[in-house]
Amino acid sequence: MTTPLLGTSFIGYSRSNGTEPCGSAVQPGTGIKLEPRYLTATPEEVEQAMALAATAFPRYSNLSGKIRAGFLRAIASEIETVVDDIVERGQLETALPEPRLRGETARTCGQLRMFANLIEEGSWVDARIERADPERKPIPKVDLRSMLRPLGPVAVFCASNFPMAYSVAGGDTASALAAGCPVVVIAHASHPGVAEIVASAVIRAAQLTNMPEGVFSVLYGGGRKVGQAVVKHPVTQAVGFTGSRAGGTALMDTAANRKQPIPVYAEMSSVNPVVILPGALERGEEALAEAFFGSLTLGVGQFCTNPGLVFLPAGKGDAFLTKLKALIEAGTPGMMLNAGICNAFAESTAAFAAAEGVETLARSVTDAGPGQGAPAVFTVSISNFLGNEALQGEMFGPATLIVRGTVEEIEAAIPHLEGQLTASLHASESELLAHGSLVIALQNRAGRIIFNGFPTGVEVCNSMVHGGPFPSTSDGRSTSVGTMAIFRFCRAIAWQNFPDAALTAELQEANPLGIKRME
Ligand code: NAP
């Protein structure tokens, strides 16, 4: 079958007639293959999407922030016209409940509008003006003006665990389009139908706002085949990814080994350590256990910010553990996103349970059904923890490891942790002030540090940092949530001695956009 070319942009897939190799969404739990079936994009289709993106870049990147903002807002509005379709298909493909899918769709539209506001206001480009000084001694000073400009076409990989907010029109796409970069999306095999609905909404928005052809395309066929081809393609200038450490590091290798290496912004694995000090236990151990359990099991633990590692002072916290054990045992298994994630959860929890010195504190007394993940908590001494690197790994799902040691041992262990998206500290205010070096140690390992709270529930706003040292991300200088995400897809350019009329509006003497500049 031929690939439909939809006016302004492109969807690289075919609905299969059943005679060619193809993939379908698989309903979690039942294993039922959902119609329609989708064909892998051919090498010609990949080439077509890349050629369109290359052609779109000069025009799209030179549209004003106001016009690009109109495109982002139109995407949000078009998505809002198909929310019910997204929710219906999303439940079948991912087993996520309706409120979650509605909430995630609202977040997706909110993110698009947040970036629209940012680029309409315009000062994010960090315009700097240094005027010439011909009289300067010993040598005259040249006129230099600089600002951030888009990198070029960006490859975006959809995330299995965020079918909306980190997929076709999610945060990576929104920030790249906001920056002025065309986007080529690689759909995730877990939710191809949702991808199709959202991609169609983006393409309608592109047509309505008269965007250049090729500003957005979506390709089917997975990351290993089609995604690798897109990352290797010379037109691609950056990559946004959320998924496994193996997938993210494979893409980093591909990008680094290109003739022209390009940046990969991969969000991978994080266990989000939670450190509990005695002052927090004194406030109420049972309430703390309840709040922790809520964070651990939210969304069947399938969040990058899931708290998978806890440091609890040895000899304290008995009531916390007793309450947590009761909650875990009574906790019901939940349907996981796909069979791969479910199997990986079963394997990782089994490996933790069998590791030296690890004890199973509690498991749900209800057996997990097909496709389900059941809550589990393990404990280990700090020496066994530090002696086994594998215990720093991710159990992607509702499971956590509690490490017991003295407060001094806990503080000494923090610098040995891998990089994390978040670190949480539960303590009294006086403990917080008294343990400044612990706070700094946590800060050095994570992108967001939380006081007396839990890491799940990521606020989408200007100040959010959702990034962190490797392996939580491939580049700890960046964030994938919040408006600072736009900086991933830009580079600074300086113009020397350019006449005013030849400069972009942001750098012209009269400041026609009225934006804040460094002068
Ligand atoms: P994944 O296996 O990394 O897949 C995500 C995307 O990356 C898919 O499109 C996949 O394509 C692609 N990919 C995987 N390996 C690749 C490679 N070597 N080269 C190019 N592309 C590649 O992640 P997942 O399917 O979402 O979940 C699997 C595991 O990842 C989970 O069990 C969990 O441990 C982890 N995960 C972590 C987070 C987090 O935020 N920390 C989020 C989601 C998942 P294919 O379909 O071709 O494989």
Side-chain angles (χ1 to χ4, degrees):
M1 293 180 79
T2 54
T3 298
L5 186 60
L6 300 178
T8 305
S9 271
F10 177 78
I11 303 189
Y13 71 85
S14 304
R15 286 176 173 232
S16 171
N17 57 12
T19 59
E20 299 175 61
C22 55
S24 319
V26 177
Q27 190 175 29
T30 65
I32 293 170
K33 289 190 173 171
L34 302 167
E35 289 297 329
R37 291 186 284 177
Y38 294 89
L39 290 185
T40 296
T42 62
E44 294 72 32
E45 288 167 339
V46 172
E47 198 52 50
Q48 194 176 358
M50 301 318 301
L52 284 169
T55 309
F57 180 57
R59 200 184 133 208
Y60 184 65
S61 59
N62 282 299
L63 294 175
S64 70
K66 198 170 174 182
I67 290 176
R68 289 205 304 273
F71 175 37
L72 295 186
R73 290 201 181 99
I75 298 174
S77 300
E78 286 301 314
I79 289 174
E80 280 165 350
T81 67
V82 288
V83 179
D84 291 342
D85 297 345
I86 290 166
V87 170
E88 189 185 335
R89 181 75 189 184
Q91 286 179 91
L92 287 173
E93 291 187 336
T94 65
L96 291 172
E98 178 174 346
R100 157 72 192 271
L101 286 163
R102 287 198 186 277
E104 208 186 305
T105 305
R107 169 179 166 176
T108 305
C109 296
Q111 286 174 169
L112 287 157
R113 293 189 174 111
M114 176 184 76
F115 281 108
N117 292 343
L118 180 81
I119 59 176
E120 196 164 55
E121 189 276 332
S123 58
W124 72 275
V125 298
D126 193 13
R128 296 168 185 226
I129 297 181
E130 302 239 342
R131 293 180 181 81
D133 181 2
E135 307 305 324
R136 194 183 69 173
K137 298 286 184 279
I139 47 167
K141 184 178 179 185
V142 294
D143 184 288
L144 268 175
R145 301 179 184 221
S146 66
M147 62 181 268
L148 297 174
R149 295 288 300 150
L151 280 180
V154 173
V156 170
F157 286 71
C158 294
S160 58
N161 60 339
F162 278 100
M164 289 300 297
Y166 275 81
S167 285
V168 173
D172 288 339
T173 297
S175 50
L177 289 177
C181 301
V183 167
V184 176
V185 170
I186 293 92
H188 196 288
S190 270
H191 35 69
V194 171
E196 182 183 5
I197 297 166
V198 179
S200 302
V202 178
I203 288 172
R204 282 197 304 279
Q207 289 166 335
L208 284 169
T209 53
N210 197 27
M211 289 296 119
E213 185 166 11
V215 68
F216 168 87
S217 295
V218 62
L219 297 169
Y220 281 64
R224 285 160 226 255
K225 194 169 173 197
V226 173
Q228 284 280 358
V230 172
V231 175
K232 283 179 189 154
H233 199 285
V235 161
T236 303
Q237 293 302 303
V239 180
F241 170 91
T242 303
S244 66
R245 186 162 168 174
T249 51
L251 293 172
M252 288 166 71
D253 287 346
T254 301
N257 288 313
R258 285 170 39 128
K259 193 169 170 194
Q260 176 220 355
I262 52 170
V264 174
Y265 297 103
E267 188 200 312
M268 299 173 286
S269 62
S270 179
V271 291
N272 306 296
V274 175
V275 175
I276 299 175
L277 295 187
L281 295 169
E282 281 160 24
R283 276 200 304 263
E285 299 193 22
E286 295 207 341
L288 188 63
E290 273 170 20
F292 175 72
F293 176 78
S295 179
L296 178 69
T297 55
L298 188 72
V300 201
Q302 300 164 114
F303 287 118
C304 42
T305 50
N306 192 55
L309 181 65
V310 178
F311 289 95
L312 184 67
K316 296 194 184 292
D318 286 353
F320 171 82
L321 292 172
T322 304
K323 181 69 185 177
L324 186 59
K325 185 172 188 302
L327 289 166
I328 293 282
E329 285 172 350
T332 47
M335 191 61 71
M336 300 197 83
L337 288 157
N338 61 45
I341 286 179
C342 185
N343 293 339
F345 179 64
E347 282 164 18
S348 59
T349 48
F352 270 60
E356 193 181 334
V358 172
E359 286 177 15
T360 302
L361 175 76
R363 281 181 186 276
S364 166
V365 293
T366 313
D367 286 338
Q372 291 185 328
V377 174
F378 306 99
T379 59
V380 71
S381 71
I382 204 153
S383 56
N384 278 319
F385 173 74
L386 291 173
N388 184 355
E389 228 175 68
L391 294 178
Q392 289 208 34
E394 199 179 36
M395 295 179 275
F396 194 69
T400 197
L401 178 66
I402 299 182
V403 180
R404 311 299 308 270
T406 65
V407 171
E408 291 70 30
E409 286 171 332
I410 291 171
E411 183 174 335
I414 302 301
H416 299 284
L417 295 182
E418 292 189 325
Q420 307 290 337
L421 291 171
T422 73
S424 306
L425 179 61
H426 287 260
S428 65
E429 276 197 39
S430 58
E431 282 174 325
L432 177 69
L433 298 176
H435 289 87
S437 52
L438 171 61
V439 175
I440 289 170
L442 290 170
Q443 209 166 283
N444 287 338
R445 293 285 74 212
R448 176 164 58 107
I449 173 159
I450 300 149
F451 182 52
N452 286 336
F454 291 99
T456 43
V458 179
E459 184 70 35
V460 182
C461 63
N462 292 320
S463 324
M464 178 49 73
V465 174
H466 189 68
F470 184 87
S472 67
T473 73
S474 53
D475 187 338
R477 295 167 297 180
S478 65
T479 174
S480 59
V481 178
T483 47
M484 284 189 276
I486 198 170
F487 300 127
R488 298 175 299 170
F489 303 122
C490 301
R491 65 189 179 94
I493 301 182
W495 289 262
Q496 186 170 323
N497 287 344
F498 262 59
D500 206 52
L503 288 163
T504 61
E506 286 88 343
L507 298 176
Q508 285 172 8
E509 203 52 54
N511 194 6
L513 302 176
I515 59 168
K516 202 172 85 205
R517 311 193 291 198
M518 185 190 285
E519 298 189 48

